[in-house]
Structure formats: C-alpha cells, structure tokens
Amino acid sequence: MKLPQSTVSRQIADLEERLGTTLFLRTTRAVALTDAGQKYLERLEPILAALDEAEHEARGGGELRGTLRIGLSSSMAIREVTPRLPQFLEQHPNLKLELLCDDDHQDLVVEAVDIALRFGTLPDSAIVARKLARWPIVLVASPAYLNAVSRPVEPLDLISLRLITGPHNRQASFTFRKGTRTVTVKLEPAIVSSQNEVATASALAGLGIVSMSLGGCRAELDAGRLVHVLPKWELGAIDLHAVFAAGHAAKPAARAFATFLAESFRRDYGRI
C-alpha cells in the first residue's frame, strides 16, 4: 500500500485502543495475530470479499482487479501453474498475483491466502474446497538406476531398492493393484527431502525410485529421463483441490482462477 511502517503501526495501535484488545503479538523477529486478532480478521474478510464482489459486479462482472494471493507448493508452481498463467493474465490484465510457494501448507487466515492448491485428503473441516483434478500416482526412476539394479517385476522386489520420498511421505506404504491382485509393500526411505523438486532431482540423478503424482514428473517421463517402475501395476490417484477458509466468501478472482485451472487441467488430464 506504499505506507511507511510507522504509519501502519500507529493505525494498528489506534485500532487496538478503540477495540480494547490486542490484535498482534510482536517480537523483535516476527508479528503474529492473537486469537482475538484472528477472529476479528475472520469476521472482516467476508465483508471485504462482499465489497470486492460488489465492485466486480459494478464493472460488469468481467474485469478482475486487485491482488490474488495463491498458496501452493514450489513444484506445483513451477510445473503446472506458472506455465498456465499467461493465458489467465491475458484474460485479466489488471489482476496482480502473489504466489506463496511452500511445500508445507500455508495458514489460510494468518497468511491471507485467497486460494490454496492442495493434494490428497482434506481432514481440516474448517475449509471449503473445490476439486480441480485427479492425477495418477506413479513410481519412477532414472533408466541409469534401473540398469544398475535388478529391475523390479513384482511389488515385493522394491524392498531391495533405494526409496526417495518428499516432505509428506517419510514412511512409505504402497498398495499396488493389477486386475484382481492387491499387494501392499512398506518401504523405509533411504533419502528424505523437504522439497518435492529435490526428490525429483534425486531420482534424475540415479539415486533411487520415487513416487509422485503424474504432474510432478510428466515432462521427465515424456523426455525419457525418468521411466515408470512396475508400469503394469496401478498405485491409484490423488485429488487436487482449490481450498478456501471456511466462512470466507471467496474473491471473484479466486473463483475465476479455480475455474480456469479446472478447465485447463481437464484439457490436459481428462475429466475427474
């Protein structure tokens, strides 16, 4: 907003004095919302979203303005979202985007995230979600690594191989299906990465096998730099959701972005 910090600090102090409560916890290293501050923000955001909606409708419902804050993993940003942004911004040239890239989940309220992209089951009941896509789970490795080991034919053959995992599956259990057969294999990771892209890079370097959604390695598979392991066995699929904090009226820009991604993913990956 191009305001000096002293001005914002004074405005916050005046607001806290008027409300008779502390909204922020301040230390020399960080500023965070108190419980009262978070509840106050949760009550205000629907009002601000309604104002945004009113302005959007007054402009005829077609032009999006302001800033859209998007929470997503670095891998999702690099591989799937950023390449699609030119088309979205061509449709909405006056919209500004902030990409909050973190392989850990963002706090939608504290970080003021308008829309977050998340994989898998959503256990948190305090969110509203829209399913965007459903991607196959694949097990991949580099050709060099598979040529250097006994190439697996059955799921149990994986026990002798080196497993690489990302930040959310440190102890991996895989359930494979082929026809009427189902085999579950538990593996102990040899390499654990706090970032998905590093797990992919480790597989490319020939360090082992890694499981991920198809979107996380599609380019490498197409180029032959990674190959499917046990391609005749299925590992299931994982859902990708657009999520919003519960009780928050989603910004028009957030809804438009979710619809744009759903249509774009549908063209590339088929219907959910």
Side-chain angles (χ1 to χ4, degrees), residues 8-49:
V8 177
S9 296
R10 185 173 62 254
Q11 291 175 342
I12 290 174
D14 291 344
L15 178 61
E16 289 180 324
E17 183 178 359
R18 179 166 62 85
L19 295 176
T21 188
T22 301
L23 300 177
F24 291 93
L25 294 173
R26 302 167 180 84
T27 69
T28 56
R29 300 181 60 182
V31 177
L33 287 169
T34 63
D35 288 343
Q38 182 160 326
K39 291 178 181 178
Y40 188 60
L41 176 62
E42 290 173 354
R43 293 294 298 271
L44 287 179
E45 284 196 330
I47 299 171
L48 297 175

Side-chain angles (χ1 to χ4, degrees), residues 205-218:
L207 296 178
I209 59 174
V210 63
S211 71
M212 61 183 61
S213 69
L214 178 60
C217 59
R218 181 171 58 154

Side-chain angles (χ1 to χ4, degrees), residues 7 12 22 40 45 55 100 116 124 139 148 167 170 181 206 229:
T7 299
I12 290 174
T22 301
Y40 188 60
E45 284 196 330
E55 293 180 351
L100 309 178
D124 187 355
L139 194 65
R170 292 174 180 265
R181 293 183 61 192
V229 177

